[in-house]
Amino acid sequence: MNEDAPLSARAAATRQRILDAACVEFAAKGLAGARVDEIAARAGANKRMLYAYFGSKEDLWLVVLEDAYAAKRAEERALDVEALPPVEAMRRLVEFNLRYTAAHPEFVALLNQENIHRAAYLQRSAQVPAMYSPLLDSLRAVLARGGAAGVFRRDVDPLQLYVTIVALGHFYLANIHTLSTIFGAGLEREAALREREAHCVAVVLGYLRP
């Protein structure tokens, strides 16, 4: 299929259904376990259409990954942290990353699976690195404003900070069932999420304090 040719409304809807179905199947079963037949059946399409729109199952996996990253970045951009005071901007970013991960377990599952493959498919993507370069620029600007205002330390690496922010929420939610079993607590409950959210914010803001 000519990727430069615009899709009809019907074709675009079919393509989106295939993507949605693939996301569910891949999140549940991984790349190796998911079957093209099941994805097509879930989407109400046929395998011929799936291959026409996406090529191989591996190509479809990459598109699903790219869409998952793009969806998160779109919501992150909507926070408009550049318009907020530095401390509030950082608080929103920390809270967002925890809450987004909690609301999108499929994102956690897809990333965990891609790490099993050592990012072999993501390495083929030009889109995802391009999405995150502006994010680091935005975070760097927030840190600079906070440093100028005397509320943040001035020696913070924005990449290291962003990885820490993501890790504080991702590890908790990626391992929520084992953690709940080990510690005998319902860590998925809203009250527990609020407690974790407050802790993550306190950790990041405490680190940034000059």
Side-chain angles (χ1 to χ4, degrees):
M1 180 170 291
N2 182 1
E3 294 183 358
D4 295 326
L7 295 176
S8 68
R10 182 176 179 181
T14 300
R15 184 182 186 278
Q16 187 59 52
R17 287 201 313 274
I18 294 171
L19 266 180
D20 293 341
C23 182
V24 172
E25 290 291 319
F26 284 142
K29 301 172 185 175
L31 174 59
R35 296 288 177 264
V36 169
D37 286 341
E38 295 175 8
I39 293 170
R42 181 185 288 272
N46 57 56
K47 288 197 296 183
R48 181 181 60 81
M49 294 303 297
L50 186 151
Y51 289 127
Y53 287 130
F54 297 102
S56 67
K57 183 174 78 165
E58 289 75 15
D59 292 332
L60 176 57
W61 167 261
L62 177 57
V63 176
V64 168
L65 277 177
E66 289 175 333
D67 269 21
Y69 275 104
K72 186 181 182 213
R73 278 297 294 124
E75 291 199 27
E76 238 163 2
R77 283 194 299 271
L79 296 175
D80 195 19
V81 294
E82 294 86 352
L84 299 172
V87 172
E88 180 60 23
M90 200 62 63
R91 180 187 302 276
R92 290 276 187 91
L93 188 58
V94 174
E95 292 172 345
F96 166 80
N97 273 279
L98 176 72
R99 292 294 179 167
Y100 188 91
T101 308
H104 296 276
E106 75 283 357
F107 185 68
V108 175
L110 292 169
L111 266 60
N112 287 350
Q113 284 291 322
E114 181 63 4
N115 275 286
I116 290 172
H117 295 290
R118 298 181 178 271
Y121 300 96
L122 197 61
Q123 287 171 21
R124 293 162 42 191
S125 175
Q127 294 181 27
V128 174
M131 293 175 200
Y132 279 79
S133 180
L135 171 65
L136 291 183
D137 289 342
S138 175
L139 185 56
R140 187 177 290 109
V142 171
L143 289 169
R145 289 194 290 113
V151 294
F152 291 162
R153 54 193 290 179
R154 293 176 176 269
D155 60 345
V156 180
D157 182 327
L159 173 59
Q160 293 297 335
L161 179 62
Y162 185 72
V163 171
T164 296
I165 289 170
V166 173
L168 286 169
H170 185 95
F171 181 88
Y172 179 88
L173 290 155
N175 298 279
I176 200 162
H177 301 296
T178 52
L179 290 172
S180 291
T181 299
I182 291 166
F183 295 111
L187 298 180
E188 75 287 349
R189 293 178 295 108
E190 174 59 26
L193 285 173
R194 285 199 302 270
E195 186 176 353
R196 180 64 185 172
E197 184 177 59
H199 175 80
C200 292
V201 169
V203 167
V204 172
L205 293 183
Y207 165 73
L208 290 174
R209 191 174 300 121

